[in-house]
Amino acid sequence: GSLGEASPYYIITIRFTIAFILLSLIYFRKFKLIDKKNIRGGIIIGIFLFLGFAAQTVGMKYTTAGKNAFLTGTYVVMVPFLNWIIKKKFPGIKSILAGFITLIGIGLLTISGKLLLGKGDLLTLLCALFFAVQIIAIEYYARGCDPILLTIVQLGTAALLSFICAVSFETAPHNINKDFVLQMGYLSIFSTTIAAVIQNVAQKYTASTHAALIMSLESVFGSIFSVLILGELFTHNMVIGCILIFSAIVISEIN
């Protein structure tokens, strides 16, 4: 994949920069509406977005894809507890139970073999913590801000921080071929630009605990597409994992 062609910080620099430029060009008319709240919120969210991706991308070099996916998914459990600490408001048994059920489901989908924690795994756990804080920050700022402007500032902040780290710690990518360009295009447009806009707009209307649960479906779709596109085996564990994650979302939504 892309990690083979370029170093981690350059990859996230490219994807955030392209996403920032794309959104700025599409929504340039909105810039006249920008104010301090949008800028402050976007910068804070952008810092945690960068920290999450930096820890995950570097961690990926020292662990397996399955463990990386599982440990990143632990933000589902972290969000309700962090909310409890920050807001001093108990998120409810349902949210916590749903979080743990989801975590078991992600484990069944992604882990094969023993879960021994190494350097890459600890970095990935740190990434999950940063993503959990980012989700809570989006909920806080999206209510009173323009979600598009928030996304533009957030992506610009993440791009700048990634670039500083790339220039400081890594060598510029070489051997840039057609595959690399296509991979970076996909990462930048679908996984970054569209995903960030949808998340920020959606979190204007839903709680961070619900957002975290819904976003955990990434592991379900990842497993399904790995079977459909890459021809990987769909195991009993993966079926149970999918059922658990869907059940957790239903549990959290039932009043």
Side-chain angles (χ1 to χ4, degrees):
S2 303
L3 274 178
E5 310 292 341
S7 43
Y9 289 119
Y10 272 103
I11 285 172
I12 55 177
T13 299
I14 295 165
R15 68 186 286 182
F16 288 135
T17 304
I18 292 171
F20 170 72
I21 292 167
L22 264 178
L23 275 184
S24 298
L25 290 173
I26 295 165
Y27 293 105
F28 70 93
R29 286 194 178 90
K30 278 187 175 281
F31 279 105
K32 60 176 179 283
L33 304 171
I34 204 156
D35 58 13
K36 279 182 185 172
K37 195 171 182 186
N38 281 296
I39 293 168
R40 185 171 63 243
I43 289 171
I44 290 168
I45 295 164
I47 289 168
F48 285 105
L49 176 69
F50 159 74
L51 290 171
F53 270 100
Q56 184 187 38
T57 313
V58 177
M60 213 179 275
K61 287 209 147 191
Y62 305 103
T63 189
T64 63
K67 277 161 79 176
N68 187 277
F70 170 70
L71 294 167
T72 301
T74 58
Y75 68 74
V76 176
V77 175
M78 293 179 186
V79 167
F81 284 106
L82 282 173
N83 246 332
W84 192 0
I85 293 163
I86 294 163
K87 294 182 178 177
K88 307 284 189 288
K89 185 185 169 193
F90 181 60
I93 294 291
K94 272 194 313 180
S95 291
I96 291 170
L97 179 67
F100 279 108
I101 292 171
T102 304
L103 197 58
I104 296 165
I106 294 170
L108 288 168
L109 281 174
T110 55
I111 293 174
S112 52
K114 292 176 182 171
L115 182 63
L116 297 168
L117 294 184
K119 177 171 75 170
D121 306 316
L122 293 172
L123 274 168
T124 310
L125 272 174
L126 195 60
C127 124
L129 177 63
F130 292 138
F131 283 145
V133 176
Q134 186 221 357
I135 290 166
I136 291 166
I138 291 172
E139 180 190 25
Y140 178 78
Y141 285 106
R143 301 280 158 95
C145 294
D146 182 307
I148 302 295
L149 285 172
L150 207 57
T151 310
I152 292 170
V153 177
Q154 141 191 350
L155 293 170
T157 304
L160 180 63
L161 292 171
S162 305
F163 178 70
I164 292 165
C165 286
V167 172
S168 305
F169 305 120
E170 296 174 344
T171 50
H174 53 282
N175 186 27
I176 292 174
N177 53 33
K178 191 179 99 178
D179 283 349
F180 178 71
V181 172
L182 288 173
Q183 287 169 355
M184 289 313 303
Y186 178 84
L187 268 180
S188 305
I189 295 165
F190 295 99
S191 305
T192 312
T193 313
I194 295 171
V197 169
I198 290 170
Q199 184 184 355
N200 285 6
V201 172
Q203 279 202 244
K204 200 174 172 79
Y205 309 103
T206 189
S208 53
T209 44
H210 285 197
L213 279 169
I214 293 162
M215 284 159 65
S216 72
L217 287 171
E218 178 186 3
S219 56
V220 174
F221 293 124
S223 299
I224 291 168
F225 285 121
S226 72
V227 172
L228 295 175
I229 297 166
L230 303 174
E232 290 183 10
L233 223 61
F234 206 62
T235 63
H236 288 103
N237 278 359
M238 289 165 81
V239 174
I240 297 164
C242 289
I243 292 167
L244 283 173
I245 293 170
F246 282 119
S247 304
I249 291 167
V250 172
I251 288 166
S252 75
E253 295 296 334
I254 290 170
N255 287 321

